Amino acid sequence: MSFGELWAELLPVGRDESTGGYRRYSWTEPDAACRDWFTRTAASLGLQTECDGNGNLWAWWGKPGDGAGPAIVTGSHLDSVPDGGAFDGPLGIVSAFAAIGQLRQDGFHPARPLGVAAFTEEEGSRFGVACLGSRLLAGAVDPAVGRDLRDQDGVSLADAMRAAGRNPALLGPDEDLLAAIGAYVELHIEQGSMLDGLGAPVGVADGIWPHGRWRLDFTGRADHAGTTRLPDRRDPMLPFAATALAARQAATDCGALATFGKVIAEPGAANAISSSVHAWLDARAPEASVLQAVVEAVSEAAAEAAAVHGVGFELRQESFTPLVSFDPVLRDRIGEVLTAAGRPPPVLPTGAGHDAGILAARIPTAMLFVRNPTGVSHSPAEHAEPADCEAGVAALAAVLADLAGR
Ligand code: GLV
Ligand code: MN
Ligand code: MN
């Protein structure tokens, strides 16, 4: 099947008609539909799908660990942020299947196993920890902690997995699987507009900025909005507002990024002072020391503002990814392959997190980026032109043929 046919099949799954964005959260119905699509598509290409203990899907051409040499794996994720775009994640998986279809059509026979992976909960949209599936696989999250992660309704990951027919007792590192993989190459839409500026359809990743997520809880006292005198209030919204402004200032001062994209005010009545405000800080910086300075500045500003308003304050880290530098040997080899194919790829840094960044600590990894003319991501405005998607498939097919062909 062509890229366009595969893309069209997956496109309606989990799409919200009113916003045009995707709501594909792990272990929900849309997620199950995405997994069915993955398994069906793999089968149509003659690939065998397995689900590992962490819920990540693996479609294999050949058998990993069968003595034919370390496997080459490509892939990405199928889950989305709330009202995310169509491309972040799925582009890598659809392109992987299209590239394998192309290789089969060309009569290519891999000398070593070739796999397509779909990592679960990459966005952390349901359980809060980004790249959860790859972190569990790589031993970067304690499986007991993973099992007890809760979604917004208090449902644990363990219960969500059980409801989807999976056994949460199997969560945890899979050393045999990791040892059987020689390289992981993830194709992803660019989440910025550097390729557009350079006039190139495909680039390769240099590295990923250190980044993380922190949860801030402000606890005040619920009261009547129409009768409580201003000096008598303990309103948690006020220190939160001061903290959001302080985060912007700290990011500006340090050359970093800081975002509050998720805020929950409880109990959420328009005519009541909130009892508590929960907010999530996403912070990213070119260096870990800079990131630490930003988070400390935000934490200090929050504690100070909370004290002024008689509000309790707590901060805890939900996830952290240190600086990632992708494997230079693999990156240069990919550069040579694409240059030989007439498309020398620009090398780009990124502030976005990826499963490839987690796996980089354990196996050689690399990333290909496909041009995004809007430069927008985590939004329905995210876009890639069909011709650029085809260029991505051709680039990935060439890279896989090179890596798995010898
Ligand atoms: C993933 O897209 C992230 O960078 O948050
Ligand atoms: Mn994303
Ligand atoms: Mn992604």
Side-chain angles (χ1 to χ4, degrees):
M1 278 211 276
S2 69
F3 174 89
E5 286 167 325
L6 292 170
W7 188 251
E9 266 190 17
L10 186 59
L11 208 55
V13 181
R15 186 169 183 271
D16 183 78
E17 286 310 319
S18 62
T19 63
Y22 288 84
R23 299 177 182 178
R24 293 170 174 162
Y25 311 135
S26 60
W27 308 116
T28 61
E29 248 173 67
D31 182 59
C34 286
R35 287 166 183 271
D36 283 350
W37 168 85
F38 182 98
T39 307
R40 259 186 290 120
T41 305
S44 75
L45 287 163
L47 313 180
Q48 194 74 31
T49 298
E50 289 168 6
C51 186
D52 69 19
N54 299 304
N56 306 310
L57 297 175
W58 303 80
W60 290 110
W61 185 358
K63 214 173 158 32
D66 69 351
I72 303 301
V73 177
T74 183
S76 193
H77 60 98
L78 292 167
D79 66 313
S80 75
V81 297
D83 284 332
F87 295 81
D88 178 356
L91 182 65
I93 294 180
V94 173
S95 300
F97 284 134
I100 286 183
Q102 186 61 56
L103 292 174
R104 274 216 192 276
Q105 217 172 313
D106 295 346
F108 172 80
H109 292 288
R112 50 175 76 196
L114 195 48
V116 180
F119 290 101
T120 195
E121 182 86 357
E122 191 270 353
E123 299 287 8
S125 299
R126 183 166 179 195
F127 292 104
V129 178
C131 300
L132 183 57
S134 54
R135 282 186 207 271
L136 283 161
L137 167 70
V141 167
D142 181 335
V145 172
R147 274 188 281 276
D148 199 37
L149 289 170
R150 306 271 157 172
D151 71 5
Q152 213 160 299
D153 299 320
V155 177
S156 69
L157 174 63
D159 284 343
M161 287 183 75
R162 269 187 221 106
R166 310 296 321 167
N167 179 1
L170 301 178
L171 287 181
D174 191 334
E175 295 300 333
D176 289 345
L177 181 52
L178 286 172
I181 302 172
Y184 175 66
V185 180
E186 178 167 353
L187 178 147
H188 204 278
I189 184 149
E190 191 198 350
Q191 297 171 292
S193 53
M194 284 178 77
L195 288 174
D196 199 44
L198 294 166
V202 177
V204 293
D206 178 22
I208 302 179
W209 279 15
H211 60 283
R213 250 179 233 189
W214 289 263
R215 175 180 164 139
L216 289 78
D217 295 304
F218 298 93
T219 310
R221 189 186 61 215
D223 212 332
H224 198 291
T227 59
T228 319
R229 291 180 339 122
L230 294 180
D232 296 340
R233 296 179 179 211
R234 286 170 49 206
D235 184 349
M237 191 57 80
L238 299 174
F240 164 65
T243 305
L245 295 176
R248 172 66 179 231
Q249 191 59 52
T252 307
D253 293 346
C254 297
L257 298 169
T259 308
F260 281 102
K262 179 176 170 182
V263 183
I264 300 173
E266 284 179 325
N271 54 356
I273 296 158
S274 300
S275 57
S276 59
V277 169
H278 313 285
W280 281 260
L281 170 70
D282 177 305
R284 311 184 187 219
E287 286 168 36
S289 59
V290 177
L291 182 57
Q292 198 185 337
V294 170
V295 176
E296 274 169 15
V298 174
S299 177
E300 275 166 27
E304 214 170 283
V308 167
H309 292 281
V311 165
F313 168 66
E314 273 178 34
L315 173 142
R316 75 184 152 84
Q317 181 178 286
E318 283 198 338
S319 66
F320 178 74
T321 307
L323 177 73
V324 174
S325 300
F326 288 114
D327 189 83
V329 176
L330 185 59
R331 185 183 61 224
D332 289 351
R333 184 156 158 189
I334 289 173
E336 281 163 27
V337 170
L338 300 187
T339 302
R343 285 257 164 86
V347 180
L348 317 172
T350 179
H354 301 283
D355 297 303
I358 304 301
L359 296 178
R362 304 298 309 276
I363 48 182
T365 59
M367 290 191 74
L368 297 176
F369 289 133
V370 172
R371 173 164 53 190
N372 173 356
T374 67
V376 174
S377 188
H378 285 183
S379 145
E382 181 181 87
H383 183 68
E385 290 295 332
D388 288 351
C389 295
E390 296 289 356
V393 171
L396 185 60
V399 168
L400 296 178
D402 177 68
L403 296 176
R406 355 179 173 168

